[in-house]
Amino acid sequence: MSTLGWLAFALGPLLPLTTFAQAASTPPALEGETCSVPGLMDQIRRGLTSKSPAYQRYLRKLLREAAVTLPGAELQAAFERETDPTMAEHLAAALVARSEREADVGAMQVVAKRALEDRDPAVRSATVRAMRRTGALEKTGDLYERLMRDASPEVRMEAATNLSEDNQFVYAGQLGSATDTAVAAAAASRDPKATAKILGTLNTEKLGAEAAGRLQGLLRSDSAEVRQSAALALGGVPADQMGQARESLVSMYRGERDAGVRKALVQSIAQLGFAGAVPELQRLRGIDPGMAPEIDAWIRALGTGLQEWELLLREKQRLQQAP
């Protein structure tokens, strides 16, 4: 250290404290930065090399939050040019955000069009994912019925996952049109796994009459997996459809040979009737001796008088596990 440096170091404690206070209170000069589509895209591309999932999620959220203030035409053009599936998903999510915040009413249709028409199934899949857990289901007409006919199994499964998660987490089964859209897509599907994915967790308490008819039609599917998921979905239909649903399930039980489907049928018959289903279950008990323990467990559970389905389901499981 130079002589002057040592002198400054030695005299430092003797300098007035106000000198340091003034220096500390002086804020750094801030420079404005313009948020642009190319700038955000470059930031995201660099971020994709990061090993931090949290950072990658942050970048996706950053683009969605900035979407409303970005030039819409520029953002759309970037999306339409992009060929990397991950980047296409980020840009599609930004356009969906613009649509949901009513900054661009046509943005959702741009995303839907590419989900249907892009040549690359990976890009189609990524674009479908960008619409997940949003209001896209209400704004895209028959999009999901068409997606369920896509040549790519990956695209079909992404669409099925959207329908399942949107109905579960966005609408909580309380928007009848969303439930009906899911059933219409399931009926249009020729992919048993995707169909079962849609129906597997579907809350049908707001199901419309036409959709209920489609759901009953799926009971005749060649796929046991589809029949099973359709049977379970019918257990939660509205009161005005319970009679027809119960009749269909009971009739089907008599001719069904798959054990998993029969188990689903019994569960939905119990759900539709609660204690009132006991006589019907007793009549069905002798059709298949192998199902007797399952039916007996339901009869005992229904005999407790519980009036909430989740509690009843838990009680039935407890009875089966008891020694």
Side-chain angles (χ1 to χ4, degrees):
M1 188 179 287
S2 66
T3 303
L4 289 175
W6 277 112
L7 183 61
F9 178 79
L11 293 176
L14 302 179
L15 293 175
L17 291 175
T18 53
T19 303
F20 292 103
Q22 289 172 356
S25 64
T26 303
L30 300 177
E31 296 181 5
E33 183 177 345
T34 302
C35 188
S36 67
V37 174
L40 283 172
M41 289 180 66
D42 288 343
Q43 189 175 356
I44 290 170
R45 287 187 202 278
R46 291 193 301 270
L48 292 177
T49 63
S50 167
K51 295 181 180 179
S52 169
Y55 181 58
Q56 294 184 7
R57 288 194 299 271
Y58 159 75
L59 289 175
R60 179 184 176 111
K61 185 174 182 180
L62 176 65
L63 182 55
R64 283 178 59 90
E65 293 300 320
V68 177
T69 62
L70 293 171
E74 191 176 337
L75 185 62
Q76 180 178 328
F79 169 64
E80 292 174 339
R81 287 193 308 268
E82 187 59 57
T83 57
D84 177 75
T86 303
M87 287 300 300
E89 182 178 347
H90 279 286
L91 291 165
L95 288 171
V96 169
R98 283 181 62 83
S99 177
E100 292 207 296
R101 297 173 190 179
E102 299 183 355
D104 186 346
V105 293
M108 193 75 78
Q109 300 308 318
V110 172
V111 176
K113 185 175 187 294
R114 193 162 190 194
L116 289 168
E117 299 177 2
D118 197 275
R119 294 181 180 181
D120 184 355
V123 171
R124 295 200 303 277
S125 298
T127 306
V128 171
R129 276 195 302 275
M131 294 185 281
R132 185 167 301 160
R133 299 198 188 192
T134 70
L137 187 152
E138 299 176 70
K139 301 177 181 179
T140 50
D142 65 348
L143 170 67
Y144 282 100
E145 291 182 53
R146 299 169 70 183
L147 287 172
M148 294 309 295
R149 301 187 189 102
D150 194 282
S152 167
E154 181 184 357
V155 174
R156 297 194 299 267
M157 188 54 71
E158 293 292 352
T161 303
N162 279 19
L163 289 167
S164 175
E165 294 196 9
D166 288 358
N167 273 284
Q168 188 174 0
F169 299 109
V170 178
Y171 305 110
Q174 299 307 302
L175 182 65
S177 59
T179 309
D180 292 354
T181 296
V183 172
S189 172
R190 296 297 177 266
D191 182 337
K193 290 190 177 301
T195 304
K197 175 71 174 179
I198 294 170
L199 301 178
T201 58
L202 190 63
N203 183 332
T204 54
E205 63 181 283
K206 300 294 184 181
L207 191 70
E210 183 179 348
R214 287 177 169 173
L215 188 54
Q216 289 182 37
L218 291 171
L219 293 174
R220 299 187 293 272
S221 171
D222 292 335
S223 166
E225 189 175 12
V226 171
R227 296 197 305 276
Q228 181 176 358
S229 60
L232 289 173
L234 276 170
V237 297
D240 60 342
Q241 299 166 27
M242 284 182 176
Q244 182 60 50
R246 189 169 165 181
E247 183 179 326
S248 296
L249 295 171
V250 170
S251 175
M252 180 181 173
Y253 184 89
R254 299 180 186 280
E256 180 59 52
R257 293 292 178 265
D258 185 272
V261 178
R262 274 194 162 168
K263 186 175 180 180
L265 291 168
V266 168
Q267 176 173 318
S268 286
I269 291 168
Q271 185 177 3
L272 289 168
F274 277 64
V278 170
E280 193 67 67
L281 292 175
Q282 289 172 334
R283 285 191 290 271
L284 295 177
R285 189 177 183 281
I287 293 176
D288 179 2
M291 284 294 296
E294 178 74 9
I295 291 177
D296 288 344
W298 275 115
I299 291 173
R300 292 198 304 273
L302 293 168
T304 62
L306 292 169
Q307 296 301 306
E308 290 188 26
W309 175 245
E310 293 301 323
L311 294 178
L312 189 60
L313 190 60
R314 195 176 306 158
E315 175 63 13
K316 182 261 182 181
Q317 292 170 344
R318 186 192 69 79
L319 288 169
Q320 283 188 309
Q321 293 169 359

